[in-house]
Every structure is written in structure tokens, then in C-alpha cells.
Amino acid sequence: MKEFSHLFSPIKVGETVVKNRVFMPPISTNLADKGYVTDALVAHYAARAKGGVGLIVTEVTTVEPTYIYLPGDMSIHDDSFIPGWKKLTEAVHQYDCKILPQLFHPAYMAFPFPGTPRLIAPSNVGPYYAKEAPRSVTKEELKVIIKQFGEAALRVKTAGADGVEIHAAHAHGLLGGFLSPLYNKRTDEYGGDISCRLRLTLEVIEEVRKMCGKDFIIDVRISGDEYTDGGLNINDMIYVSKTLEKAGVDMLHVSGGTTIARGSSIPAPGTKMGSHALLSEEIKKHVSIPVATVGRITEPWIADELIANNKADICMMGRANLCDAEFVNKAMDGHVEDIRPCIGCLRCLTGIMFGKRVSCTINPSLEIENEDTIKEAEEKKNILVIGSGPAGMEAAFVAHKRGHHVVLCEKDDKLGGEMNLAAVPIAKQDLTLVIKYMAHKLEGVDVRLNTEVTLEMLKNEFKDYEVIAGTGASPIVINPFTQFKSWMTADDVLAGRAFPGRKIVIIGGGSVGCETADYLAPLINDLFPRNRDVTILEMADGVMMNESGPGRSLLVRRMMEKGVKIITSAKVDSVTETEINYTQDDVTHTIKDADTLIFAAGYKKNPAVEEMLEESGLNYHMIGDAHEIGNIKTAITEAYNLTKDL
């Protein structure tokens, strides 16, 4: 605790004292049932409260029944929701943690379920993906909505909540849209200048305070800057912040960007930690109420520094506490090495818009919340794990924790498998933290490096063992194309086994091909004579078609800024020693000046290990890419699911 004394000091928010300055911001879980609190939702938030978080702001909680934001989000639009909320607040309060719902009206950001009426908005302006323009909400409807916010706040107060967060950030939802000039084109008293655009939020605050009294936290989430031409900027938001304080707001949750500009509000892997801290720092100079910052704050040292350096009073740490429910307790106890590292990949929210539950790449037991729940096996076994990639290390850890005798054999001289290569490209360095964390967990496992398992070993030393093979996969090499004068795989490049020339063609525009292109391309596209010239040839209509989110967006933008040529719908037909021929739109093109051909066309399973295991006669399991080509998340999850019941 002495190491992070600023982070773990108490703070007063309104009339309420919070035990520390680690707050959990809203992260959608899809664990609610038609808006109602479920046991899974209670367990989810209770685990973070038990883990030491000072205050939790729940995911989006809608204040009326017509417009739904996400299929599994929460609601409080009538009294029938109060019992569930009471159960939730009691579960969190038993750990001296405070809880606020984030009150929200999705408006033009609502999910258009069948039967949903035309979406409403400040004006007839909606997001780029809308299928029709929303209609402008009337002033009479606004009066009803303001009352709905107040009634919703009173219900959560009745249920025992400590306050509410009012979402007016990211040009998102009704209040965020009214505040932002990107969506508010009105000319009545709710539009035009900043004071009029802020009016609806102020009226909501007034109603909540009237309904709930002084001893009830009102927190408002804002974007300190929308980072968008024509959007809100820091000058606007200093004025807004001062006005909100005068209106009786107890705390400001300062974010940035918009939900539409990918990567602006939720920062991608590799971007700076404390991504919106400059905004909170500036706003903090002009108000006396607590100011929270948010955005890729994943380690305790950066959170403590932000507070110590007056960048903010509070750190909102979402993904870090999602990834490890015990984040705060581990940091307070001085066991930082035991914190499960968040890599910022945002696979936690993959599929949220389509009803899938929240998940985590590094925490496969997310819904169970904690690996402490792993039960000791009734029958103890000898288990051999072959391969120390993410699947192998997770399997070895869980099997050992269940009480089995575990031997982990790795043919190379270090742990991590293909993660060592995956950490090399730009913005992927956080994977080194995963390797270190997973290796740290292997205490008690018999780890043998530089040990390639043979059939003889299986029949002799390991004859009484059950085998788990996480031996990964091999890059696909297109044999007819290997006649090119200099070829290599992306893995060869990232591992330093081969060094490309200056005029490079990469076959394959998936994640590996794009990350390799980004890694090899010049940092600045200034046409310097020694800059590399990189071309991607991809058969599909676009690159990284299986990825989404800000990480993909930033990677594609970096490649374009660096001058990487991205040629899609391009089928490579033939390769000679000096030429690469491809077809696009039924027209054949020839690249004659390339000096290096790189294969990034995917991976294939290596059957040799499974054939050896079959011949050994031992009981075995193939996991990770050795079983089915996937990603780090699928590898770790598969290993966990196998070994937790082994």
C-alpha cells in the first residue's frame, strides 16, 4: 500500500467517503435479463467489490422501456426492477464498495429491434451506420424523459445505491447528442450555443437532485474533447464542467472522443496509458469537485502517478478490473506480479452488440470470476504438457492447481511459444507481460526447456502420463511460389530468422500480414531512398476481415500513413524467380521489381505430434492451434475448460 499511497487514499465525493481512488467505469456485460439484474450480474460486480474497488459505475442502465441499447443491458424504468437492484447493492456494499448505475437514454444509438419505433435524436442526424434518419425529439417528450431520469434515480436510491452517473459523453445517446454540435442542430432553447445544448443535461441533474436529495452522488460523464472537427473541444468542456459544478454535480468523469470515431473514446492496444489524462488535468484546474480520468489505465503505477501528478483525483479502471477481479487487493498487498495483465485487445466487448456475454482473452474464467474457484481433483494424475504457448502454460497451471503432478516440456529455450513472435509488431508489446505472468504462475510445475518430446520418451519416462499437447501450428507456405529469389514467412521475419530487402510483397492481408507490413514499413512516409516499399496482396475484399474495433482501425490507418500499398480482391496466380503475377477484376498485373516475398497466408496444424501421440497409446488431448487454428483467447479458454475438470 505504501508503494501506491495516492491511489489507495480515501476521497470524499459529495457527502460520501470512498475508501480508495480505484473506480470501475461502465463496461457492458450482457448479463442482465431483459433489463433485470441476474445472479450472474450480482456475482460479477460483487467479485470486483471483493477485489478492492472503491466505487463501481455499472454498465448502461436505461430509464425508459421503448429504446434498448444492448440486448443484455440493465434497466430501472419501473419499480419491478428495484428488488434486483437491492440485491446488487447489498452484495457490493458488504465489501465497503459504493455503487452507481449509469443512467442513459440511447436515443439514436438504440438497437433497432423489430417493433422499435423510429429512433429519436436532438435533430434529424444519426450515426453513419443508421438505416434511416432519426426524428427530432419534441420538447413535450423531453419533459417526460427528464422526469424518467429523476424517477429512475429515485428507484436506485430506494434500492440502496449511492448515487448515479449521468452519461453525457462521446456524442452518445440522448444527452451526449444534445451536448455535441455533431448531432445537435436545433434552433430552439435546446440548441445553438453551448449553454443551450447543455440545457437538457442540467434539467436532468436538477430533477435527480430534487428527487434524491443532497446525500446522493451525482456524477456526470463527459468528453473533455471529442477529438473531431466540428465537435466539442477542451475550451467548451471547461465551461461545461464549471457549469455542472454550479448545478450541484458531485463529480466529473472525464473521458474523450466519440463512439463513432473508432479508437478515440476506447483506446486501442499500444496507445498511451491514461489516454484522456491531459483533458482531466486541464478541467481539474477549473473545478473543486473530484475529477476522474479514464482510458487504458491498466497498471497500478500509472494510476498512482496520474493522481500524484495532479492529472486527476480518481482513476477509472475498467478493463484492468475486468481482467483481474482481484486487481486492487493484489496491488495493495504489493503483489503486482500476480495481477493478470490486460492487453487492451477489447475482445471483452467482441459480440456485445449481438447479445454475446462479456469475455476476456487472458481471463478464461471470467464468469466464474476467479481462478481461486478451481477445485482440487479427486483423482491425482501425472500430466505431461507439450508446448509452452498460451494454451500449454494455462493447461499446466490449472492442472497443477488441481493437484496433479505436471511436467511441461518446451523444445525452445524460453516459454511463450508463438506469443514471443506476436509481441514483436508495433503496439503488441503488452503480450510480453502475458508471457511473464503465465510463466510466474508455473511455480511448482516441472518446467523443462530445450526439451523436445520424442516417442521414446513417451513410451518410457512418460508411459504413465496423460498428455496435453499445445504445440501450436506452422505458417502456410505456398510451395509453387517458393521459386521466388528470396522468400520467407512472416514468422521468420518476426523471429529474426530472416531479414527482408527493400521492395517487399506480402501474400495475405489478415492480422499477421498487416502487422508484419506495419512492422517493416518506414515509420515516416517521407520517400527517403532507403525506406522500404511494402505491398500487401489479399484475396478478400478487405484486410483483417475477421477483426473489428479500434486496434484494427489504428493498424490500417498506420499502414496507409506509412504508404503501405494494400491491394485487395487480388489472387496471386503465379510466381517466377523474379516476378509475382496476380489478378484483380479479371486483369492480370505483374510485379517485377520486388526483392522479397513474405508468406502470411495463415497457419496449418502439424500432424506429426498427434501421430506420435497416437502411436504411443497414451491418453492425450490436442489444444490451442494444435487442435484448431484460433487466437490467444481461444487457446487459453480451451486449455482452461479442458483442465478445470481433468
Side-chain angles (χ1 to χ4, degrees):
M1 185 173 176
K2 291 180 181 178
E3 187 177 0
F4 308 116
S5 58
H6 299 90
L7 187 61
F8 296 125
S9 61
I11 186 168
K12 190 174 183 182
V13 181
E15 302 295 313
T16 303
V17 176
V18 183
K19 65 183 178 182
N20 63 45
R21 300 174 187 230
V22 180
F23 289 15
M24 187 170 179
I27 298 181
S28 291
T29 65
N30 267 339
L31 295 177
D33 181 11
K34 296 181 176 63
Y36 288 93
V37 172
T38 61
D39 289 344
L41 201 53
V42 172
H44 174 78
Y45 286 120
R48 274 79 204 166
K50 179 175 179 287
V53 170
L55 182 148
I56 293 170
V57 182
T58 73
E59 60 215 83
V60 160
T61 304
T62 54
V63 300
E64 60 85 51
T66 306
Y67 300 102
I68 298 171
Y69 179 52
L70 291 177
D73 265 340
M74 305 166 77
S75 188
I76 190 72
H77 66 257
D78 65 42
D79 290 353
S80 67
F81 294 90
I82 293 175
W85 269 95
K86 191 171 190 297
K87 186 175 181 180
L88 174 58
T89 59
E90 289 175 349
V92 168
H93 283 160
Q94 68 178 310
Y95 301 109
D96 190 26
C97 177
K98 311 304 180 185
I99 185 167
L100 322 176
Q102 185 189 70
L103 297 188
F104 184 66
H105 189 303
Y108 54 95
M109 297 288 188
F111 201 94
F113 287 103
T116 301
R118 187 178 177 188
L119 302 185
I120 60 173
S123 308
N124 299 116
V125 181
Y128 71 91
Y129 55 78
K131 294 183 179 180
E132 66 172 349
R135 68 173 179 84
S136 180
V137 63
T138 67
K139 288 189 283 186
E140 290 72 23
E141 288 173 316
L142 290 179
K143 291 177 182 178
V144 174
I145 291 170
I146 291 165
K147 187 176 179 181
Q148 288 172 330
F149 270 96
E151 291 172 343
L154 182 59
R155 290 188 192 104
V156 295
K157 182 177 182 180
T158 302
D162 302 282
V164 293
E165 175 171 275
I166 295 169
H167 191 344
H170 307 146
H172 190 47
L174 191 67
L175 300 185
F178 261 85
L179 187 56
S180 175
L182 296 172
Y183 289 99
N184 188 341
K185 313 296 180 179
R186 298 171 77 105
T187 56
D188 61 10
E189 62 266 42
Y190 289 100
D193 67 15
I194 187 69
S195 297
C196 292
R197 298 199 310 272
L198 180 59
R199 178 172 181 155
L200 179 60
T201 299
L202 293 175
E203 290 179 350
V204 166
I205 292 165
E206 182 182 14
E207 183 71 13
V208 170
R209 185 62 78 201
K210 181 178 75 174
M211 298 289 283
C212 298
K214 186 179 180 183
D215 61 341
F216 189 73
I217 296 172
I218 298 179
D219 161 31
V220 179
R221 189 175 200 185
I222 58 174
S223 287
D225 192 312
E226 289 180 342
Y227 307 138
T228 302
D229 290 345
L232 294 166
N233 59 57
I234 186 62
N235 297 322
D236 298 322
M237 299 316 293
I238 290 171
Y239 171 79
V240 166
S241 299
K242 291 160 69 174
T243 306
L244 290 174
E245 181 177 23
K246 290 176 184 176
V249 169
D250 298 304
M251 174 182 137
L252 296 173
H253 177 179
V254 179
S255 184
T258 71
T259 57
I260 299 302
R262 281 181 289 274
S264 64
S265 61
I266 305 179
T271 54
K272 68 178 180 180
M273 289 194 281
S275 53
H276 305 306
L278 293 179
L279 303 177
S280 60
E281 178 186 28
E282 190 59 34
I283 286 172
K284 182 171 156 49
K285 296 174 184 176
H286 300 277
V287 297
S288 58
I289 56 177
V291 174
T293 190
V294 70
R296 203 169 134 72
I297 307 172
T298 58
E299 297 179 52
W301 74 267
I302 183 66
D304 195 70
E305 281 286 300
L306 290 170
I307 294 168
N309 298 335
N310 290 316
K311 304 290 185 182
D313 301 296
I314 295 158
C315 285
M316 292 278 183
M317 303 178 71
R319 285 176 280 179
N321 281 295
L322 189 73
C323 185
D324 194 333
E326 292 288 325
F327 176 95
V328 177
N329 287 341
K330 290 175 181 178
M332 286 184 68
D333 292 341
H335 297 301
V336 174
E337 71 281 359
D338 291 329
I339 296 175
R340 185 185 289 108
C342 169
I343 59 174
C345 64
L346 282 169
R347 292 193 187 276
C348 49
L349 300 181
T350 300
I352 283 289
M353 290 299 293
F354 306 102
K356 292 184 179 180
R357 290 185 168 198
V358 68
S359 60
C360 179
T361 291
I362 311 303
N363 182 359
S365 57
L366 181 64
E367 290 181 33
I368 303 169
E369 303 307 347
N370 200 312
E371 287 172 329
D372 289 342
T373 60
I374 296 171
K375 297 177 182 177
E376 189 170 338
E378 294 181 7
E379 177 191 354
K380 304 300 191 295
K381 302 178 182 180
N382 292 321
I383 293 179
L384 169 65
V385 178
I386 307 175
S388 72
M393 286 199 285
E394 179 70 15
F397 163 70
V398 176
H400 174 70
K401 186 145 191 177
R402 282 178 53 75
H404 300 304
H405 170 66
V406 182
V407 177
L408 171 63
C409 291
E410 167 57 55
K411 67 179 181 179
D412 292 330
D413 61 357
K414 60 183 176 181
L415 298 170
E418 291 293 300
M419 271 200 296
N420 288 297
L421 305 189
V424 171
I426 293 169
K428 299 295 290 293
Q429 192 271 343
D430 282 356
L431 288 176
T432 63
L433 302 178
V434 179
I435 298 170
K436 292 183 67 173
Y437 167 74
M438 297 189 80
H440 171 68
K441 293 198 300 179
L442 295 178
E443 184 178 351
V445 174
D446 182 358
V447 177
R448 304 180 188 179
L449 300 176
N450 299 305
T451 303
E452 185 165 6
V453 175
T454 63
L455 181 60
E456 181 181 359
M457 293 167 67
L458 293 174
K459 288 185 174 181
N460 293 288
E461 182 179 0
F462 299 117
K463 63 182 179 181
D464 297 322
Y465 282 67
E466 190 165 339
V467 183
I468 301 173
T471 48
S474 302
I476 294 172
V477 174
I478 306 171
N479 287 326
F481 299 167
T482 58
Q483 60 184 300
F484 193 76
K485 57 189 174 184
S486 176
W487 67 269
M488 58 197 67
T489 67
D491 282 23
D492 292 331
V493 173
L494 299 177
R497 292 189 294 263
F499 193 74
R502 295 288 162 188
K503 183 77 172 180
I504 299 165
V505 173
I506 299 174
I507 297 180
S511 296
V512 174
C514 290
E515 288 174 357
T516 304
D518 184 34
Y519 172 67
L520 293 174
L523 293 177
I524 300 173
N525 183 22
D526 60 357
L527 302 182
F528 188 71
R530 290 188 58 78
N531 282 354
R532 286 193 174 106
D533 184 323
V534 182
T535 299
I536 293 174
L537 298 177
E538 168 55 47
M539 290 180 61
D541 294 336
V543 293
M544 300 178 68
M545 298 288 279
N546 295 325
E547 297 292 335
S548 61
R552 178 196 179 279
S553 176
L554 292 182
L555 173 54
V556 171
R557 280 184 273 166
R558 275 201 309 272
M559 289 193 297
M560 295 174 69
E561 289 168 2
K562 292 176 177 182
V564 173
K565 300 179 184 68
I566 302 172
I567 304 175
T568 58
S569 302
K571 182 180 182 296
V572 179
D573 300 309
S574 63
V575 171
T576 69
E577 185 179 359
T578 59
E579 295 182 349
I580 300 166
N581 303 297
Y582 68 93
T583 300
Q584 183 187 48
D585 298 329
D586 297 323
V587 177
T588 299
H589 304 266
T590 300
I591 299 174
K592 297 182 178 181
D593 56 350
D595 56 35
T596 307
L597 177 62
I598 296 176
F599 293 111
Y603 293 83
K604 63 180 180 180
K605 295 186 289 184
N606 183 353
V609 173
E610 187 166 10
E611 290 171 359
M612 178 181 68
L613 291 170
E614 191 70 31
E615 187 176 347
S616 74
L618 298 176
N619 186 22
Y620 70 90
H621 313 270
M622 308 298 293
I623 60 172
D625 284 351
H627 174 233
E628 185 174 354
I629 305 300
N631 53 42
I632 294 172
K633 180 179 183 295
T634 57
I636 292 176
T637 300
E638 184 179 22
Y640 173 80
N641 287 334
L642 169 69
T643 48
K644 71 182 176 66
D645 298 318
L646 194 64

